[in-house]
Amino acid sequence: MSKTLVLAEKPSVAREIARVLGCTKKGDGCLYGDKYIITWALGHLVTLADPDAYDEKYKQWKTEDLPMLPKKMKLVVIKQTSKQFKAVSALMKRSDVGELVIATDAGREGELVARWIMMKAGCKLPAKRLWISSQTDRAIKDGFRSLKPAAEYDNLYRSAQARAEADWLVGLNVTRALTCKYNAQLSAGRVQTPTLSLIVEREKEISSFVPKDYYTVQAVFDGFNATFRDTKNNTRFSDRAFAEKILAEISGKPGIVAEVKKEYKHKAPPAAYDLTELQRDANKKYSYSAKQTLNLMQSLYETHKLLTYPRTDSRYITDDVVATLPERLRSVCTGPYREAAAKLLRAPLSTKYIVNNAKVTDHHAIIPTEEPVNLSRLTHDERNIYDLVVKRFLAVLSAPFEYDEVKVQIKIDKHSFHAKGKTVRSNGWMDVYSGLSLDDDEDEQEESRSQRLPVITNGSRLIQKGAKIVSGKTRPPARYTEATLLSAMENPSGHIHDKELKAVMETTSGLGTPATRADIIEKLFDNFSIERHGKEIRPTAKGEQLINIVPPDLKSAELTAKWEQQLQNISRGKADMGKFISSMHSYSSALVSSVIASDAQYKHENLSREKCPECGKYMLEVNGKKGKMLVCQDRECGYRQSISSQTNARCPNCMKKLEMRGEGDKRFFACPGCGYREKLTDFKKRHESDSAAGYEVKQYMQKQQKKEEANNPFADLLSGWGK
C-alpha cells in the first residue's frame, strides 16, 4: 500500500503528529506506521548559497567585486543539519511513498522551509498542505481531514522566496560595501537599518531637547482638586508671575459650581492578542525581550499545546471558530480563571469584540486551545505569558466597562477652575483584571486626570481648603523600550509625512512582520549597534555613525513598507516575483555605488588600550547583552574577549547582582554597587553547601565555555544577511 510522507518543521511537532496518526515505529530521521511516515526539518535544512558558490573571487571581500548579482540563486544544504536532509531526501524518493503532506509552520517562512527542501531534494511527489493554528489532537485530526492542494500556497512560497532573495541581494551587498570601505564590522538591511534609524532619531530628539518650566494653579476643596483654565483652555503657563497673580486673586475665596456635566460612557474590551501586542505587554509587565516572549509562546503552542499559533498579525477570529469558544472556556476553567470563565459559560457568549472575518489573514488571534491546562506543569515564565493570553481571552468575551464621566466647572472670583471624575456603573471586562486601575488616562497631564468627586450640583457653594502653584518641566520624548519599539516598528507611519505613503504604511505590516521583529531587535544588540540601559534602548556610537553613512533611503520606513506591500501582493497573486527581484538587482547596484562614492568618515570611538592577541590591533570595548567585552576592530580577525558578565549571584553586602571579571584562573566576582570583590575559588568554597548558588555558578561557567568556543562575531553578523 502506498504511504504518505508528512514533513514537519521541528522534531517536537513531528512527534505529536506521529502520535495522533499512530506512527510508533522509529526509522532513520522519521517515525512511521502502516499509512504514514512522519519526518522533520530542523528549522531550515536548505538555504541560499554564499557568494563564493557563484565565483571564487567572492571569498575575498573587495569593493571592486560589488555588486554581486547572481542571475539565478542557488540553494545549498546547511552543513550542520545535512544528515537530516539526507534522511528526508531519501524518504521523498522511496518507491512506496505516493504523496507528500507539507506540515511545516503555517506561514510564509514555514512554506519556504518545505519548498526549499523539496526543490533541493528533487521531490516530484504530489503534495498537499496541512494548515492548522494549534497543535491539539483535534486540530491535527481536523487538519488531516481537510488537507488542501499545495498549489494553493504557491504564491505564498513565491513571496517567501522573493523576501529571501531580496534580503540576500540588499543585505550582503550593502554590508560588504560598508565593511570594505570603512574596515569595520558594519551591517545594514531592509528592516534592520530603518529600525536602528528610529532609535538614533529618538536619541537626537532627546539630546536636542531643552526643558521649559511651566506652572499650574490648583484650588483644593473637600476631597478633590480643581485646576485653573484660561479663556483658551490652557492649564499650563510659562510665566510664574501670571500664576502667582491668579493664586493671589482666588486664595481663600469660595467656589461656585457653574456647571456639572454627567455623561454615560463605555469602554469596549481590548482586542485579543496578536504576537506584537503580546510582546509589548510582556515587556511592559515582565521586562521580557521580544525574542523571549516568542520562545515562551512557541513552548506553549508546541510543547504544552495550550495556545494557538503565535506568529500571527491578527487580533480577531473568524465565524467558524465561534463554535469552539465554549470548549476553550472550559479548558481554562481552573485556578484564577475559574470564576470569570464559569460566568461567561452561564450566559450566551457575546462575540462582537472578537469576530471579524475581514481582519483575519493566515491565522486568527492568539487564544487558548481546547486542551485542559495543568498550571503546575508550566514554568514561571510560561505561566506569565499564559496568564496574559487567557485574561485577554476572557476579557474580550466580556461586557464593556460602563461608567459616568462627571465634569465640573467652578467659578472662583472671575476665574474658571475644572475637575473631572468617574463613577463606575459596571466593571464588565475590568473584573477579569482584578486590582487594575479603572483610570485609563494615565498618559494625560496630571492636572487633567480623573479623581473621585463628591456629589456636586449646579449652584453649590464650595469652601476652599487652600490653593497652590504646582511647577513642572516639559519632558523630552521617552527612549524606546522593546515594548515601544515594537509599536513603532508595527506602525511607523507617524514618521512619514507624505499622505500617500502614510496610507501605504498603514495597510502593510510596517517594519518586518510579527515573526521577524524580535530577531531584528536581537540582531541590533548582537552587532553592538544598540545597547540596553535598564529597560531603555540606546544607540551606540557605532549605531549612530552607521545611520550617518548608510544610503539615505535605506534607513527610510517608507521603503520597507513598499517592499512588504509588494511581498503581500505576490502572496495574493497580484504581483510578479520576477519583476520584484529585477528591481532588487537595480536597487542593490545603486546602493553599492552610493556607499563607494560617499565621502563620509567612520571612526572607532570605543577603542581600548588592549591589543588583540591574534592580530595586534587595538580592540574595541563594547557593551554586550550580558556584560562588557573586547572585540577586535579588524573584520577579518573577529577576536573577542569577555571583560565582565552579569551573573545572578548576589553581593553579600548590598544584594546587587555581581559581575564576573577576569580570565581563566584569575576570574573573580565584583559588585558594581559597593565595590565588593571575591575570587571565584573563594566564592565556590563559601557556597559549596548552597546548592542553588552552586548551580548558578555551574550554569554560568558552562555558558562562558560556549561563548569562548564561538569566537567569531562576524560570522553571526552575516548569518541573516543583514535583514
Side-chain angles (χ1 to χ4, degrees), residues 271-273 312 314-318 352-357 359-360 363-366:
Y273 279 121
T312 177
S314 176
R315 302 186 66 185
Y316 299 89
I317 64 173
T318 49
K352 64 184 293 186
Y353 300 115
I354 193 172
V355 175
N356 190 326
N357 293 338
K359 292 189 176 182
V360 179
H363 294 282
H364 59 63
I366 300 171

Side-chain angles (χ1 to χ4, degrees), residues 541-580:
K542 174 183 178 179
E544 289 177 339
Q545 288 190 85
L546 180 57
I547 289 303
N548 290 332
I549 63 178
V550 295
D553 63 335
L554 187 60
K555 57 189 176 186
S556 165
E558 300 170 1
L559 180 67
T560 195
K562 290 179 179 178
W563 288 5
E564 279 299 328
Q565 185 184 47
Q566 291 179 68
L567 292 173
Q568 284 186 12
N569 287 338
I570 292 170
S571 71
R572 295 166 183 165
K574 296 179 179 179
D576 181 69
M577 172 186 163
K579 290 182 180 178
F580 175 76

Side-chain angles (χ1 to χ4, degrees), residues 41 84 267 290 300 447 479 581 627:
Q84 183 60 20
K267 184 178 180 182
L300 291 164
E447 61 271 16
R479 288 187 174 90
I581 296 300

Side-chain angles (χ1 to χ4, degrees), residues 13-25:
V13 177
R15 285 193 294 270
E16 291 305 313
I17 294 175
R19 182 182 57 78
V20 172
L21 298 181
C23 300
T24 57
K25 299 175 184 177

Side-chain angles (χ1 to χ4, degrees), residues 163 212 303 358 383 391 418 494 502 586 592:
R163 192 277 309 158
K212 295 180 180 178
T303 306
R383 176 73 184 271
K391 284 183 176 176
H418 294 256
K502 187 186 286 281
S586 301
V592 169

